[in-house]
Each structure stands twice: as structure tokens, then as C-alpha cells.
């Protein structure tokens, strides 16, 4: 039983013995005591005054006295209005720490027997990945790691949007203006080459619209009648009819794009267990429409179109199949949801998609629940906000997109410049320095994008993200490197911190107990981050832990300690902090350096 469980049980007994009331354990919660007050945990008594039939202060004092007398972990207490601040037995922290270091699977909760799919990235094969994709990929990969740490079997999936009018636009432009250009002949990554022709299509299309408008057509008619647009529509029809020449060009350009994507994913440090392709799934879901009609979940209108009525769910009527029998997006998404379940038997499915799709997923999930799908209650849309730069919003079709490859390189270059200026690469050879710049640059980028609640729109500031002070990735990475240096020195001078017996300790300093308190919270934070699908919870925890360690290090200079047991204890405390930081950053998809 851990400290909190012991105190929870003590509070439950206090209510039974003092107030003759059976208080369920799930109605008891403890919060960390605020720094300005003495104590470790705080129990707020205001919600229980109807039970105690007394004042907040009297209620808190009665419970405090009971805990002090009956719970060995509680050494004392103080009351501030209705806040009962519990002061713990100092030596409790040694026992807590011994249990922490005995755990060989730090940051890994037991298997829960459930499978979850996390779908993220979902790129279009007509253009490279951009800044928004970075947030998407880092979120998806981190959430997958966090769910795995929570005991789930996780399948990381990528649904690639490899068909449709947008792909045909790149293909048409390439046919007209490509002159047989390839990634090799152009020196461009394949995804950048396809993106180049998507931009060219847009430029030429606008020129044609302007020309048609000059000849008297309205803007709306000009957009529909522009020759390039008509060609793109015709190409899509040919693709769907499996035209040999069109399919060959589609496969060639997509092959180039996938090779480009793989390089970007590798640098991002993200991976996938399963790829789905819209070209394989776009016809799925029509059988579900038939099933829904038979079950009375869907209804048909006079023109033959099929709808679902979600007014009882606070929404409206939604089209699920057109009158001519062709699909809409929701049709194939229903089919793909079933396909995922058939492939893996998942109990949860997490879709990492921007918040502009909130309504779409609300509709999809409500439909699948109405259809009685076994995975229906496990559907979750991890909706995230847009990322802005100080220079303003991104626009992809005009060729001014903030390219993911360019931004990653810029971050690594900035890390190199910043690290050289601070003199943190003394003694590094060129290869080691290059690796450090990559680690710091990518760590800064990932951490900055992950530390913000996913639901919030955010402003990414490259310069701020790379700082070695403040709530940044490099601050946590530097803290880990500092501890690694301490551990190397401890080995050099023969400190046997791994086998030391800490039961001989007679006192734990305040900065030591505060650090152990935070270390003891690690798995709770992992659990909370998993429940909320929020890496930001874990990022904040790691920042707090790094800060707390730096305070401990400043308060208690480790190698000035003469008592061998206390010295070994502080080195062991440093070692476990490093392990926790490293594991936590791994869950965010971030590497930590051993030296800087």
C-alpha cells in the first residue's frame, strides 16, 4: 500500500469513527500542499461539512488528530481554514524511494489486455508534410507511447489520402509541365516534387480563371470551366475506371512521394505498424448503409439518398449515401472503422485529426454507436488546434507552406548555433557535435509542440523553444546530461550507490523528500496523460521534475558530503531522477544526451 492509499484509508476510518459515516474511498482526494504551507498532502474538508455538522476548522482538526494518532505515515498537521495540510513522517521517504528503485520497469504499468489503435499523420500524396503535420505526428506517436506505458497493446496506423481531385491536380500539372522530371534529375525529395506541381497547377488554374472572366464568364463559371480543372476531373474519372496510363502515372508519383515521406518520418522519429490507403478504402461502407437501413438507423429520401437522423443526439440529419449510389466521406469512414476492428479486434480507436473535423467525427462516432458496434464506446477524436508561427498562418496551395523538412533543419541549425555560443560542446568531435545538435533541435521542436494542451491553438516560437532555461526541451535534456556527468564522477571516485543500504539514514532533507515525492508521482502522471490523451501532462511533469532536481542539486552539493551513506543516497536519487527523465522524454518521442 502506498502513502496516499494509507492516508485515504485513514480518512475513511476517521469519518466512520468520528462522524459515524461511511465515506466511499472514491470520494476522498488529496492534493499536493501548496509550497507556502508546511505539509505534503492537503485534504479539503469543505465538501464534507454536512457530514461533520461543524465548522471547517473544527472538522479539519478532528480528522488531523485522528490521522496523527492512527496513520503511521502522518507525523503532524496544520489547518488553514478548511484545508488540512498533512506533514509526513520524515523517514517514510526512504521507504518510498527504496520501492521506486526496486522497480525495474520504471514508467510501465501492467498489461490491461486491451488493444487500441492510434491513427495519425494522414498525409495527402500531392504535397510534403508541413508544420501542422509535425504537431499531428508528434501527438500521435507520443499518445501511442503513453497508452503502451498504460498497459495497452498499441497499433500505430497511418491512413494515407492517396486519391481524389487534389492528387489529380498534381498529376495534370506534371503531364503538362513536368518534361519527365524525376526526384533524381531535379535534386528534390519526391514529396517536394509532387508539391511543386500542385503549386504550379494552382498558379496556371488561376491564370485560366482570370482569362475566362475577361471573356465574360462569372467567377463561379470560370472556376468550373477552366480547362485544367476539367482535365483533373476527367483524370479522376479515368483513375476510378482503372485507366492504365493514368494509374501508371499515379503509382509513379505516389512512389516518389512515399520515399520522401519515409525520410521525413525517420527524422521526425515516428513510425507506424499499419498503413491504410484511401485508394483501397474509398469504396468501403456501402454494405453498412444497407445494414443501417435494415436496422432502422438510416432512412431513404425520395431521391434515393440515404440519411441518418441525429436530432435526438443534438445534431441534424446527415447524408451517408448519395441518391446516385456514390459514397460521401462518412461512408468510407464507417467502412474503415469496421476494417480496423476486423484487422485487429481493437477496443479503442484514437483519431488524431485537427479540430476543423470535430463535427465529422462527432457524427461518425454517433452513427457507429447507433449501429451497435462493439468498439463504438472506444472511439475518440484527439482534436488539436492549429499551429501558428510569429509570421502568420500557413497557406499550402500558394506555395508558402511552412515545410516540415525545412523547419526541422532550421531547428537543428539554430540548436548548433546556440550550443556553440554557450560553449556546451567542449571536447566533442564533429560527429558527436552533429548528433547533439540533432538531439537538441528535434527535442526543442517536439517538446514545444507537445507541452501545450492538444486542444489549444498555439504559437510556435522557434527561438524560445531552443533556450536552455525555462519550460523547454533543452532545459530537461541539459538536466539529464548534468546528472549523467554526476553519475560518471561517482563511479570514478568509487561511490557504490547501487548496492547501498539506506535504512541507516536518520533524516531526509526537505529538497530530497520533495524530489522523491515527485518521482513517486511518475506513474500517476503517465496514467493521467493516458486517460486525457494529453502528452502535455507528462511534459509539465518532466519540467517540474527537472526544476526540482536542480533545486536539490543547488541546496545539497553532492560531492561535498562526507557521510558515505548520505553521499550514496544522493547519487542514487540523482540516478533515479535521470532514469525517470529519460523514460518520460522517450514517451514524448524525445532523446536525451548523456553529456553536453
Amino acid at each position: 500500500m502506498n502513502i496516499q492509499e494509507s492516508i485515504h484509508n485513514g480518512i475513511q476510518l476517521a469519518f466512520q469513527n468520528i462522524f459515524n459515516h461511511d465515506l466511499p474511498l472514491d470520494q476522498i482526494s488529496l492534493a499536493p500542499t501548496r509550497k507556502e504551507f508546511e505539509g505534503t498532502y492537503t485534504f479539503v474538508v469543505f465538501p464534507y461539512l454536512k457530514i461533520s455538522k461543524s465548522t471547517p476548522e473544527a472538522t479539519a482538526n478532528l480528522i488531523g488528530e485522528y490521522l496523527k494518532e492512527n496513520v503511521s505515515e502522518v507525523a503532524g498537521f496544520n489547518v488553514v481554514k478548511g484545508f488540512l495540510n498533512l506533514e509526513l513522517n520524515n523517514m517514510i521517504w526512504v521507504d518510498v524511494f527504496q520501492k521506486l528503485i526496486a522497480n525495474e520497469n520504471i514508467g510501465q504499468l501492467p498489461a490491461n489486455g486491451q488493444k487500441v489503435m492510434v491513427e495519425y499523420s494522414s498525409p495527402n500524396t500531392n504535397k510534403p508534410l508541413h508544420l501542422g503535420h509535425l504537431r499531428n505526428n508528434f501527438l500521435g506517436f507520443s499518445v501511442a507511447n503513453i497508452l503502451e506505458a498504460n498497459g495497452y497493446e498499441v497499433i500505430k496506423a497511418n491512413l494515407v489520402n492517396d486519391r481524389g481531385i487534389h492528387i489529380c491536380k498534381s498529376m495534370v500539372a506534371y503531364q503538362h509541365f513536368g518534361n519527365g522530371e524525376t526526384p533524381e534529375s531535379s535534386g528534390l525529395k519526391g514529396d517536394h516534387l509532387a508539391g511543386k506541381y500542385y503549386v504550379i497547377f494552382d498558379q496556371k488554374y488561376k491564370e485560366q480563371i482570370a482569362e475566362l472572366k475577361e471573356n465574360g464568364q462569372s467567377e463561379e463559371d470560370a472556376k468550373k470551366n477552366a480547362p485544367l480543372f476539367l482535365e483533373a476531373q476527367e483524370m479522376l474519372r479515368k483513375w476510378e475506371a482503372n485507366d492504365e496510363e493514368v494509374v501508371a502515372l499515379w503509382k509513379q508519383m505516389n512512389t516518389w512521394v512515399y520515399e520522401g515521406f519515409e525520410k521525413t518520418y525517420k527524422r521526425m522519429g515516428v513510425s507506424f505498424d499499419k498503413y491504410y490507403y484511401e485508394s483501397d478504402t474509398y469504396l468501403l461502407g456501402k454494405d453498412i448503409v444497407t445494414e443501417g437501413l435494415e436496422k432502422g438507423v438510416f432512412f431513404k429520401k425520395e431521391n434515393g439518398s440515404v440519411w441518418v437522423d441525429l436530432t435526438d443526439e443534438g445534431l441534424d440529419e446527415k447524408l451517408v449515401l448519395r441518391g446516385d449510389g456514390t459514397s460521401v466521406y462518412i461512408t468510407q469512414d464507417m467502412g474503415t472503422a469496421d476494417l480496423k476492428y476486423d484487422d485487429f479486434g481493437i477496443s479503442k480507436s484514437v483519431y488524431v485529426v485537427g479540430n476543423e473535423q470535430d463535427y465529422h467525427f462527432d457524427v461518425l462516432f454517433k452513427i457507429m454507436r447507433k449501429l451497435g458496434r462493439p468498439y463504438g464506446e472506444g472511439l475518440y477524436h484527439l482534436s488539436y488546434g492549429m499551429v501558428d508561427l510569429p509570421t502568420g498562418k500557413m497557406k499550402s496551395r500558394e506555395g508558402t507552406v511552412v515545410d516540415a523538412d525545412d523547419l526541422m533543419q532550421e531547428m537543428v541549425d539554430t540548436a548548433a548555433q546556440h550550443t556553440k555560443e554557450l560553449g556546451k560542446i567542449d571536447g566533442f568531435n564533429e560527429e558527436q557535435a552533429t548528433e547533439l545538435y540533432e538531439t537538441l533541435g528535434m527535442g526543442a521542436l517536439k517538446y514545444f509542440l507537445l507541452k501545450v494542451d492538444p486542444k489549444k491553438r498555439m504559437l510556435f516560437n522557434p527561438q524560445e523553444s531552443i533556450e536552455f532555461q525555462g519550460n523547454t526541451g533543452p532545459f530537461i535534456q541539459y538536466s539529464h546530461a548534468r546528472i549523467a556527468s554526476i553519475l560518471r564522477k561517482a563511479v570514478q571516485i568509487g561511490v557504490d550507490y547501487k548496492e547501498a543500504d539506506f535504512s541507516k539514514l536518520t533524516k531526509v532533507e526537505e529538497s530530497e523528500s520533495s524530489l522523491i515525492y515527485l518521482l513517486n508521482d511518475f506513474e500517476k502522471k503517465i496514467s493521467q496523460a493516458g486517460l486525457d490523451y494529453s502528452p502535455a501532462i507528462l511534459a509539465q511533469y518532466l519540467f517540474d521534475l527537472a526544476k526540482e532536481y536542480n533545486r536539490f542539486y543547488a541546496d545539497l552539493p553532492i560531492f561535498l558530503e562526507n557521510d558515505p551513506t548520505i553521499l550514496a543516497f544522493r547519487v542514487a536519487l540523482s540516478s533515479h531522477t535521470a532514469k525517470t527523465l529519460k523514460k518520460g522524454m522517450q514517451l514524448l518521442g524525445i532523446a536525451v544526451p548523456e553529456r553536453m
Side-chain angles (χ1 to χ4, degrees), residues 121-376:
S121 199
S122 303
N124 295 319
T125 57
N126 64 311
K127 54 188 175 183
L129 304 175
H130 55 64
L131 174 56
H133 285 114
L134 288 174
R135 190 177 198 190
N136 179 300
N137 279 275
F138 297 154
L139 267 176
F141 187 72
S142 179
V143 165
N145 289 343
I146 289 166
L147 290 174
E148 193 168 8
N150 274 282
Y152 287 93
E153 181 183 337
V154 178
I155 302 103
K156 294 173 290 187
N158 188 347
L159 175 60
V160 182
N161 301 304
D162 65 339
R163 65 166 290 278
I165 193 71
H166 53 292
I167 310 295
C168 293
K169 288 177 180 179
S170 289
M171 290 163 63
V172 165
Y174 181 78
Q175 278 185 326
H176 280 284
F177 313 109
N179 298 315
E181 189 176 33
T182 66
E184 290 74 26
S185 70
S186 66
L188 291 172
K189 278 174 80 236
D191 50 334
H192 288 260
L193 186 64
K196 170 183 169 181
Y197 287 99
Y198 188 63
V199 172
I200 289 173
F201 179 94
D202 192 63
Q203 291 167 348
K204 302 295 184 184
Y205 176 46
K206 283 176 178 170
E207 288 172 14
Q208 290 183 350
I209 291 169
E211 193 177 323
L212 291 173
K213 282 168 70 178
E214 280 179 18
N215 292 331
Q217 291 195 24
S218 68
E219 180 153 358
E220 195 175 332
D221 286 341
K223 284 180 177 178
K224 291 177 188 172
N225 297 328
L228 275 177
F229 181 68
L230 294 173
E231 273 190 69
Q233 285 185 314
E234 178 59 23
M235 184 173 274
L236 181 57
R237 281 192 286 273
K238 284 183 175 180
W239 183 89
E240 290 181 351
N242 210 27
D243 179 276
E244 196 173 317
E245 189 180 331
V246 169
V247 169
L249 176 61
W250 172 78
K251 284 183 177 175
Q252 178 62 75
M253 291 187 74
N254 274 354
T255 299
W256 292 339
V257 169
Y258 296 143
E259 287 170 358
F261 283 170
E262 279 310 305
K263 290 175 184 173
T264 305
Y265 287 142
K266 186 175 181 182
R267 190 168 203 183
M268 280 185 192
V270 304
S271 60
F272 305 93
D273 305 308
K274 175 69 177 176
Y275 281 87
Y276 290 103
Y277 298 91
E278 197 177 319
S279 55
D280 296 328
T281 64
Y282 80 105
L283 294 175
L284 295 177
K286 290 186 181 180
D287 54 337
I288 300 174
V289 174
T290 305
E291 175 197 341
L293 285 167
E294 289 169 358
K295 287 182 173 178
V297 174
F298 301 151
F299 68 94
K300 196 174 275 192
K301 291 193 176 180
E302 287 179 9
N303 63 0
S305 59
V306 181
W307 297 71
V308 61
D309 184 358
L310 296 173
T311 51
D312 61 331
E313 302 262 13
L315 299 176
D316 50 10
E317 293 181 349
K318 177 72 178 174
L319 177 71
V320 294
L321 197 69
R322 294 191 188 97
D324 62 4
T326 56
S327 299
V328 289
Y329 271 115
I330 205 90
T331 326
Q332 67 193 56
D333 281 352
M334 292 189 299
T336 307
D338 269 4
L339 178 63
K340 291 174 174 179
Y341 181 73
D342 292 341
D343 284 348
F344 295 100
I346 49 178
S347 54
K348 286 181 183 289
S349 190
V350 180
Y351 297 75
V352 184
V353 183
N355 57 16
E356 70 275 7
Q357 295 291 330
D358 284 355
Y359 173 76
H360 175 82
F361 283 105
D362 196 12
V363 170
L364 175 65
F365 297 168
K366 284 179 165 63
I367 289 172
M368 302 320 283
R369 287 165 192 152
K370 276 182 177 287
L371 289 168
R373 289 300 188 262
Y375 57 83

Side-chain angles (χ1 to χ4, degrees), residues 387-596:
V387 185
D388 297 314
L389 281 167
T391 51
K393 189 178 172 181
M394 301 175 299
K395 294 177 182 175
S396 62
R397 280 193 298 279
E398 293 169 19
T400 56
V401 63
V402 182
D403 181 82
D405 293 318
D406 291 346
L407 184 57
M408 287 191 287
Q409 187 58 50
E410 183 187 320
M411 289 302 301
V412 173
D413 292 344
T414 305
Q417 180 187 346
H418 200 58
T419 309
K420 286 173 188 171
E421 286 171 0
L422 293 171
K424 293 189 182 294
I425 52 161
D426 296 341
F428 280 59
N429 63 34
E430 190 176 337
E431 187 181 337
Q432 291 168 333
T434 301
E435 185 182 342
L436 179 64
Y437 304 148
E438 187 77 22
T439 299
L440 293 174
M442 291 305 298
L445 177 60
K446 290 182 185 183
Y447 186 85
F448 205 94
L449 293 179
L450 289 173
K451 73 176 183 179
V452 178
D453 184 319
K455 295 179 180 64
K456 292 180 179 175
R457 185 169 184 158
M458 68 173 293
L459 181 72
F460 173 65
N461 187 326
Q463 289 300 324
E464 185 185 330
S465 73
I466 207 76
E467 292 295 332
F468 285 91
Q469 294 299 321
N471 190 1
T472 67
F475 169 68
I476 299 168
Q477 290 172 315
Y478 181 61
S479 298
H480 179 272
R482 166 182 267 180
I483 300 173
S485 172
I486 289 166
L487 298 181
R488 287 193 294 273
K489 182 174 180 180
V491 170
Q492 285 170 3
I493 63 174
V495 180
D496 186 9
Y497 65 92
K498 291 179 181 176
E499 302 297 328
D501 177 11
F502 301 131
S503 61
K504 297 173 186 173
L505 287 173
T506 56
K507 187 184 178 191
V508 175
E509 300 293 340
E510 186 273 332
S511 55
E512 293 169 326
S513 64
S514 292
L515 187 55
I516 296 168
Y517 171 86
L518 262 183
L519 290 167
N520 194 41
D521 247 5
F522 184 39
E523 290 185 355
K524 192 169 89 176
K525 295 297 181 183
I526 290 173
S527 178
Q528 192 60 52
L531 286 170
D532 292 356
Y533 303 98
S534 177
I537 291 170
L538 190 56
Q540 182 63 48
Y541 167 79
L542 294 169
F543 173 56
D544 290 341
L545 180 61
K547 268 197 312 186
E548 197 62 47
Y549 180 82
N550 284 297
R551 184 172 78 92
F552 152 78
Y553 182 75
D555 285 354
L556 304 167
I558 292 170
F559 296 110
L560 295 181
E561 179 54 55
N562 295 317
D563 185 308
T565 303
I566 296 173
L567 175 59
F569 176 64
R570 288 174 184 164
V571 173
L573 192 49
S574 300
S575 172
H576 195 74
T577 303
K579 286 179 184 175
T580 305
L581 289 173
K582 184 173 186 175
K583 177 64 178 180
M585 291 290 263
Q586 279 176 349
L587 294 179
L588 297 180
I590 300 172
V592 288
E594 290 298 316
R595 65 192 188 102
M596 281 171 68

